[in-house]
Amino acid sequence: MRLYATVAAGGFRRYATYRVATAAGVFTNSVFGLVLSYTYIALWDERPHLGGYSMDDALAYVWIGQALLTVCGLMGGGFEEELIERIRTGDIAVDLYRPADLQAWWFSANAGRAGFQLLGRGVAPMTLGALVFGFTLPSGLGGWAAFLLAVVLGSVVGFALWYLVAMSAFWLLDGQGVMQVAWLGGLFFSGMLLPLNVFPGALGEIARMLPWASLLQVPADVYLGRYEGWELAGAYAFQGCWALALLGTGRAVQAMATRKVVVQGG
């Protein structure tokens, strides 16, 4: 455990060194947050309580999305390109022979990255949005704690998704196509463009059942207090089940990849 804690701390420090990139990310998230906010204002003026959200709820949703964009990996996990490159060049063989689990290593590094992104690129845009628009805030420390747990679970699901994307390079060599599909899936089915509650009929039902809903829609609804009691437990269970299923699938794919490397190496 000490090894993986050290890797997580290293991941945090690594991203903390990119101060200019962090500032640029905060600026970009803030600009897109402002653009989306005024778009949502126009939409909610025409359709009040669309998706069951008030105007203040909708504006909060926008800024939650900007805060969690990199934390939960809505449009990229921040590590998959590096892992794909190591697979492509064959350097991954060294990683697989190390006395450390490959998935746990990258999970720890990503946890450090996500922790920094939450502080570095999450807090500032949310604060700006709250100051400009005065949107809905959680009720008390309990509401914030519930939201933070949903964010942590969403980050785990995000890692598991992008880890599978990266591991596909063992068979595809170039993972760019899979990355593009995953990017589009994250953009659309996480609720980044519009809350999934707005999606009509069967499309909305399917979208809310997919793992991408764990990255933004569920944390946002927890933040807005739409889950209470057993419903909140059910929301966490939804995220947790997807996390376990995807991590388990990633481990199975990793085992197949390891056998492939061993056979080729032998």
Side-chain angles (χ1 to χ4, degrees):
M1 290 299 295
R2 178 179 294 182
L3 170 64
Y4 300 118
T6 302
V7 172
F12 187 98
R13 289 194 300 271
R14 175 185 179 184
Y15 281 86
T17 61
Y18 300 118
R19 297 181 180 87
V20 175
T22 300
V26 169
F27 176 78
T28 302
N29 290 147
S30 299
V31 170
F32 275 102
L34 291 170
V35 171
L36 283 174
S37 291
Y38 287 110
T39 303
Y40 273 42
I41 288 171
L43 181 58
W44 259 258
D45 278 340
E46 293 295 323
R47 298 283 302 277
H49 298 285
L50 181 63
Y53 295 118
S54 66
M55 177 75 78
D56 286 345
D57 290 346
L59 289 171
Y61 186 96
V62 169
W63 291 95
I64 293 167
Q66 294 305 308
L68 300 186
L69 182 65
T70 54
V71 177
C72 294
L74 274 65
M75 298 170 64
F79 68 91
E80 63 282 352
E81 290 188 13
E82 182 179 354
L83 181 52
I84 287 173
E85 180 63 15
R86 292 190 68 81
I87 294 171
R88 189 187 67 80
T89 59
D91 292 340
I92 194 67
V94 177
D95 300 337
L96 290 171
Y97 281 111
R98 286 175 180 165
D101 181 75
L102 183 70
Q103 187 185 57
W105 178 283
W106 286 97
F107 178 88
S108 301
N110 185 69
R113 179 203 63 82
F116 173 77
Q117 297 290 11
L118 180 62
L119 297 175
R121 288 185 60 175
V123 173
M126 281 282 289
T127 302
L128 174 65
L131 291 174
V132 174
F133 297 101
F135 53 65
T136 304
L137 295 174
S139 56
L141 291 176
W144 284 106
F147 171 59
L148 182 59
L149 178 55
V151 171
V152 170
L153 290 171
S155 177
V156 174
V157 174
F159 164 79
L161 281 167
W162 288 105
Y163 186 75
L164 279 172
V165 169
M167 295 299 281
S168 70
F170 270 104
W171 290 271
L172 302 177
L173 295 183
D174 183 2
Q176 292 301 314
V178 178
M179 284 179 58
Q180 289 295 322
V181 172
W183 183 86
L184 290 172
L187 182 67
F188 189 76
F189 289 113
S190 68
M192 186 65 190
L193 297 178
L194 278 174
L196 302 182
N197 296 337
V198 175
F199 289 13
L203 176 61
E205 294 293 332
I206 293 171
R208 288 189 290 272
M209 292 173 59
L210 295 176
W212 287 286
S214 298
L215 309 187
L216 173 56
Q217 185 67 58
V218 173
D221 282 340
V222 170
Y223 174 100
L224 295 170
R226 293 170 69 91
Y227 298 116
E228 294 183 357
W230 287 108
E231 289 184 343
L232 180 59
Y236 291 149
F238 173 81
Q239 292 179 293
C241 287
W242 270 120
L244 290 174
L246 292 169
L247 288 172
T249 304
R251 184 159 292 281
V253 172
Q254 176 182 312
M256 290 188 291
T258 301
R259 287 196 294 271
K260 181 178 179 181
V261 169
V262 171
V263 170
Q264 291 179 344

